[in-house]
Amino acid sequence: MSEVLEAGGWGLLAGSALLMGAVPGYLLRIPHQVIASVMAFGAGVLLSAVSFELVADAYERSGMVPVTIGAVGGALLYTAGNALLARHGARHRKRSGHVRGRGQPSESRQEGSGLALALGALLDGVPESAVIGIGLAEGGAVSMVTVAAVFISNVPEGLSSSAGMRGAGRSKGYVFGLWGTIAVVSMLSAVVGNVAAGALSPSVVAAVTAVAAGAILTMIADTMIPEAFEEAHLAIGLIVVSGFLVSFALSQV
């Protein structure tokens, strides 16, 4: 039971970073280039975590075939869910503005977009939180690095998304209520991942980890990188590499 509670606590901590990012994102007028830079750093952090923690761990446990099947399956599941939500206004949910006409729609502009944005946030956050619980069930080493990576990357996600929500006319109650709910869901996802991993064989755990890795990698490419490079400047690539190296350094501690 203590391990389950620990998993929930770490999941809640990682998810609360979205709320931490949402506060300045909604309340302050932060330049788009600054938001893009912070998002680029978060993308680099997650890319490293997926590469050196999730995929590498899954490969060591069961080899290339389960990793490939799981990662492709996770990418397909995420893409399908994202495509469905995109039809209802959640395509640019991590965008901070309306660069060249791309941004979050208001409810008056597209009815149901508020719900779609909320479901999109769930789609983005659940795989990240689940692997935290899985890592704890498998010994804790992977989980702690993943917690740090998810926490660091969640701050810019909350920052950029909330700036875009403000621009689309979303209320404070909607924005902060959404991210508070996602933090709680992150806690529950970590608990479910921990409990499920304890009942599964190592090969199945590896496949599930690969599914999460595939979903996270697809999310980075589909929602984080476009925002990071929409307002690209000459240092944006360096910032991505910096985030990548910070996460890699954490994995070597």
Side-chain angles (χ1 to χ4, degrees):
M1 179 60 72
S2 60
E3 185 181 272
V4 173
L5 292 176
E6 184 181 358
W10 286 118
L12 180 62
L13 176 65
S16 67
L18 290 163
L19 191 57
M20 292 174 59
V23 173
Y26 190 90
L27 299 179
L28 303 178
R29 298 286 178 177
I30 302 174
H32 289 310
Q33 284 199 337
V34 174
I35 295 176
S37 298
V38 178
M39 185 66 88
F41 185 84
V45 168
L46 270 187
L47 283 170
S48 181
V50 170
S51 302
F52 294 106
E53 293 301 318
L54 304 184
V55 174
D57 180 70
Y59 175 78
E60 290 174 3
R61 292 182 185 280
S62 60
M64 193 65 197
V65 173
V67 168
T68 301
I69 294 173
V72 172
L76 288 172
L77 287 171
Y78 182 90
T79 300
N82 199 40
L84 179 62
L85 292 172
R87 296 172 57 187
H88 298 281
R91 178 70 181 91
H92 301 299
R93 57 186 173 274
K94 285 189 171 65
R95 295 296 177 92
S96 59
H98 293 266
V99 179
R100 289 193 290 275
R102 290 190 291 273
Q104 298 181 26
S106 64
E107 192 69 25
S108 60
R109 181 175 137 203
Q110 185 165 0
E111 187 176 353
S113 58
L115 177 59
L117 288 169
L119 294 175
L122 282 174
L123 180 68
D124 297 338
V126 167
E128 297 174 344
S129 304
V131 295
I132 291 174
I134 292 171
L136 273 174
E138 294 299 303
V142 173
S143 174
M144 299 311 298
V145 176
T146 306
V147 168
V150 172
F151 184 92
I152 292 170
S153 65
N154 274 350
V155 173
E157 287 186 48
L159 178 72
S160 181
S161 295
S162 298
M165 290 175 187
R166 180 195 62 211
R170 307 287 174 192
S171 67
K172 290 181 183 179
Y174 173 88
V175 173
F176 298 132
L178 171 62
W179 296 125
T181 300
I182 298 302
V184 174
V185 172
S186 296
M187 175 187 69
L188 297 175
S189 298
V191 168
V192 171
N194 182 263
V195 173
L200 300 174
S201 67
S203 60
V204 175
V205 170
V208 172
T209 301
V211 168
I216 293 170
L217 186 58
T218 307
M219 181 271 290
I220 296 169
D222 199 62
T223 63
M224 295 185 72
I225 290 178
E227 170 65 18
F229 285 87
E230 190 72 56
E231 292 282 348
H233 48 78
L234 293 178
I236 205 78
L238 178 62
I239 294 171
V240 173
V241 172
S242 298
F244 186 93
L245 290 175
V246 166
S247 184
F248 178 71
L250 289 173
S251 71
Q252 302 305 305
V253 175

